C-alpha cells in the first residue's frame, strides 16, 4: 500500500525558514504531478505549489519568490523550501500526488496526513 509521509513542520519565527518533505512509500513506478496544499483554521484548503515529473512548477501568488518546490523522482519525494515565512503562512500543509503508478494499480488523488506549520514570534 502506498502512503505519503510528510515531515519538517514546526514552529518558526517570522522571517524564518522551514523545509517540508513528503516521501511516497512502497513500490512505485511513477508519480505525475505532486504538490503542496495548506489549510488554515476556518479556511478552505488551497494549492501552494505543484511540480510535474518533468520539473515544471506552479505557485500560488502569495508564495512566489519565497517558496520553492522540488522533487527527487528516484526517491518519490517532493520538497517545499519555505523562506521569509509570515504569520499568514500558518496552516496545516498537505502533500498531494495526482497519479501514482504501482505494480498492478494506479492511485488517483493521494493525500498525506498533514504537517503543522506555525509562524509566530
Amino acid at each position: 500500500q502506498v502512503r505519503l509521509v510528510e515531515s519538517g513542520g514546526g514552529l518558526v519565527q517570522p522571517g524564518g525558514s522551514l523545509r517540508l518533505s513528503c516521501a511516497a512509500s512502497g513500490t512505485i513506478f511513477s508519480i505525475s504531478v505532486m504538490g503542496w496544499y495548506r489549510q488554515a483554521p476556518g479556511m478552505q484548503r488551497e494549492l501552494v505549489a505543484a511540480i510535474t515529473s518533468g520539473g515544471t512548477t506552479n505557485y500560488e501568488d502569495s508564495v512566489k519568490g519565497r517558496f520553492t518546490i522540488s522533487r527527487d523522482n528516484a526517491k518519490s519525494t517532493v520538497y517545499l523550501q519555505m523562506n521569509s515565512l509570515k504569520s499568514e503562512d500558518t496552516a496545516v500543509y498537505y502533500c498531494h500526488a495526482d497519479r501514482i503508478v504501482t505494480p498492478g494499480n494506479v492511485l488517483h488523488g493521494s493525500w498525506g496526513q498533514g504537517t503543522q506549520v506555525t509562524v509566530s514570534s
Side-chain angles (χ1 to χ4, degrees):
Q1 184 175 354
V2 174
R3 294 176 58 218
L4 298 178
V5 181
E6 298 135 339
S7 60
L11 173 64
V12 64
Q13 293 186 340
S17 298
L18 281 175
R19 188 189 193 213
L20 305 182
S21 299
C22 172
S25 64
T27 302
I28 294 169
F29 287 156
S30 66
I31 304 177
S32 60
V33 180
M34 299 187 78
W36 289 94
Y37 288 72
R38 65 186 179 187
Q39 187 168 20
M43 303 293 287
Q44 288 189 334
R45 192 173 297 188
E46 64 174 359
L47 176 66
V48 175
I51 184 168
T52 68
S53 57
T56 300
T57 59
N58 180 46
Y59 295 94
E60 193 270 329
D61 285 346
S62 70
V63 307
K64 287 180 180 178
R66 300 189 298 122
F67 291 11
T68 302
I69 189 170
S70 60
R71 64 189 284 176
D72 184 332
N73 291 329
K75 296 181 179 179
S76 299
T77 300
V78 63
Y79 306 95
L80 186 67
Q81 178 66 44
M82 303 185 293
N83 299 329
S84 302
L85 282 161
K86 306 175 181 179
S87 58
E88 50 263 45
D89 295 318
T90 295
V92 178
Y93 284 70
Y94 297 90
C95 175
H96 180 267
D98 186 54
R99 183 174 181 267
I100 302 175
V101 180
T102 70
N105 202 4
V106 177
L107 306 175
H108 296 276
S110 301
W111 291 93
Q113 81 284 357
T115 185
Q116 177 70 46
V117 172
T118 302
V119 184
S120 175
S121 56

